[in-house]
Amino acid sequence: TYTEKLDTWVAHFLKGKFVGGNELTIADFKAVPLLIAAMQPAVEAKIGLTVSDRVKQYVKDFCDVVPSSSMLSQANGYSIVEYLAGKM
């Protein structure tokens, strides 16, 4: 299942705060948009997917240090979070 695959990914790649340890890498910029979408209530409602607290913390840590990540949640209705919220 997706949850099992995600748990495997987390165990393998998130040994530190980010994919590369405690420093951001390009891999974090690839993973976070996908994970922030997976975390949304609309996804849980549609397919029953829930992500682990570790994934939620990883996304939060990323968003805390990357100011431009706000575009994932606030973009005048065009962000991933806003789009999926409209699907509820």
Side-chain angles (χ1 to χ4, degrees), residues 1 4 10 27 39 57 59 85:
T1 67
E4 292 167 340
V10 166
M39 291 170 44
Q57 185 63 51
V59 170

Side-chain angles (χ1 to χ4, degrees), residues 30-48:
K30 173 66 176 178
V32 167
L34 301 172
L35 295 174
I36 205 166
M39 291 170 44
Q40 298 312 302
V43 174
E44 182 176 359
K46 184 72 173 177
I47 65 171

Side-chain angles (χ1 to χ4, degrees), residues 1 4 7 13 19 23 26 38 49 51 56 60 69 77 80:
T1 67
E4 292 167 340
D7 290 344
F13 290 107
V19 171
E23 300 293 324
I26 195 167
L49 176 64
V51 299
K56 292 175 187 175
K60 181 187 178 313
S69 67
I80 294 168

